[in-house]
Amino acid sequence: MDLNTYLKNLEILVNVDCGSNTPEGLQFVTNFFQKLYKDWIVEYHELNGINPVLVIKNRDVDNFDFLFIGHNDTVFPEGTAAQRPFKIEGDIATGPGVYDMKSGLLSMYEVAKEFKDSSLNICIIINTDEEISSLISRELITEMGKKTKYALVFEPARKNGNMVSERKGLIKYEITFNGKAAHAGIAPQNGINAIVEASHWVLEISKLQNLELGNSINVGIINGGFGVNTIPDKAIIKFEGRSHDINHFENIEKTLNRLKENPYVEGINVEIKEIGYRPPLVLNPLSKELLDKFEIVKKQLKIDSNWEKTGGGSDANFLGILGVGVLDGVGPVGGNSHEASEYLVISSIEKRIEMVKEVLKMFL
């Protein structure tokens, strides 16, 4: 590979604002990769008009040996690229999305192009909504995953060089409580207090947390009311749960249904909306087979790297639940994703690309 070209392309990508809700930037980076893969079969999926998805194949077949996946979107607002554009200082590159995961997308291309004409059937997905739980692209990812044996997610490696074998699943909810407004002094008996009901739910939901088992609950947002002299007629809470055990999510759902059927405040109306979901990613037999091949190659290339279980989710979660052999974090090394101090270790780029190539050669 030509590292100079890689870094020039990385500069182009990093210097474009492409948060998950930035249509122009997302279109630019999508077009960039559409041109890069011009010699492949490229399917452009518009979906919601904001978050396009590319499905790229080396040949027109129904089933694939490998699925590669990565995302174009970042978490940063418009104007971030102008405030802190791509920069190289020594072995470190910085800029919004340089690590998570513009570099991983370019590494994915460097790997893929070597195997375009090989005996391996390869599918590539590049989406633009991963940072908002892949709400738009989830169905398409699942559809292609059902046709795939193995998958590699080119999210970046950890700052210590470790890759990811398992991820917690997560589920996000928005709960809306509709009560009835009334004057708190003159006619409090006529009101139905939405905040009281919401508060009861917060306490009951939070009881499901068990950190010893790795089951977390976080009610991160609560809104309601507009004055202490008025019974609040509306309240909203948003929360998430995370776990390696899918039973945690089933318990959350059962609890929400129980609370809705047995309200604490008489007359309240409750709306439950799921706003994000990723099933747990666990190490299945095919994943273990793939991991063992990585272990062989790591020793050959003298790469110091272990495997981690992490609480964060990625598009790998959608694939593992299907029985696909999937590993994550096979991109280059860096750190501080989602932060202004996000960075990429340039010297890790070629080594990690070589590692993935050598693993794929073992399947030829």
Side-chain angles (χ1 to χ4, degrees), residues 276-301:
Y277 176 67
R278 283 194 174 102
L281 172 67
V282 297
L283 199 66
N284 62 41
L286 286 178
S287 301
K288 182 61 167 60
E289 178 187 338
L290 190 57
L291 186 149
D292 289 342
K293 287 181 169 33
F294 267 90
E295 286 299 302
I296 293 170
V297 171
K298 283 194 305 177
K299 290 178 181 178
Q300 292 174 345
L301 299 180

Side-chain angles (χ1 to χ4, degrees), residues 174-302:
E174 177 182 277
I175 316 293
T176 302
F177 304 88
N178 297 298
K180 182 182 177 183
H183 195 292
I186 298 174
Q189 70 280 3
N190 293 335
I192 299 174
N193 195 311
I195 288 181
V196 170
E197 183 70 17
S199 300
H200 176 68
W201 282 53
V202 169
L203 294 174
E204 290 299 306
I205 293 167
S206 297
K207 291 178 182 178
L208 297 175
Q209 176 159 287
N210 187 327
L211 297 183
E212 290 184 3
L213 296 177
N215 299 338
S216 66
I217 291 285
N218 181 54
V219 181
I221 296 175
I222 181 167
N223 291 314
F226 54 85
V228 294
N229 62 345
T230 304
I231 305 297
D233 64 346
K234 189 171 184 177
I236 296 175
I237 66 171
K238 294 183 181 181
F239 77 95
E240 70 162 33
R242 298 192 185 224
S243 180
H244 288 292
D245 184 358
I246 201 166
N247 290 322
H248 182 48
F249 307 122
E250 294 173 356
N251 288 335
I252 292 172
E253 183 179 6
K254 289 178 183 177
T255 298
L256 297 183
N257 290 332
R258 174 178 59 80
L259 291 171
K260 185 176 182 178
E261 293 171 2
N262 301 277
Y264 184 77
V265 176
E266 185 177 352
I268 201 80
N269 178 266
V270 181
E271 301 170 17
I272 301 172
K273 182 180 180 182
E274 181 187 305
I275 57 174
Y277 176 67
R278 283 194 174 102
L281 172 67
V282 297
L283 199 66
N284 62 41
L286 286 178
S287 301
K288 182 61 167 60
E289 178 187 338
L290 190 57
L291 186 149
D292 289 342
K293 287 181 169 33
F294 267 90
E295 286 299 302
I296 293 170
V297 171
K298 283 194 305 177
K299 290 178 181 178
Q300 292 174 345
L301 299 180
K302 298 181 180 179

Side-chain angles (χ1 to χ4, degrees), residues 11 14-15 84-90 92-95 98 344 346:
E11 181 175 10
V14 170
N15 285 342
R84 46 184 186 86
F86 181 80
K87 183 171 63 174
I88 293 178
E89 291 182 342
I92 300 298
T94 55
V98 68
L344 168 72
I346 296 172

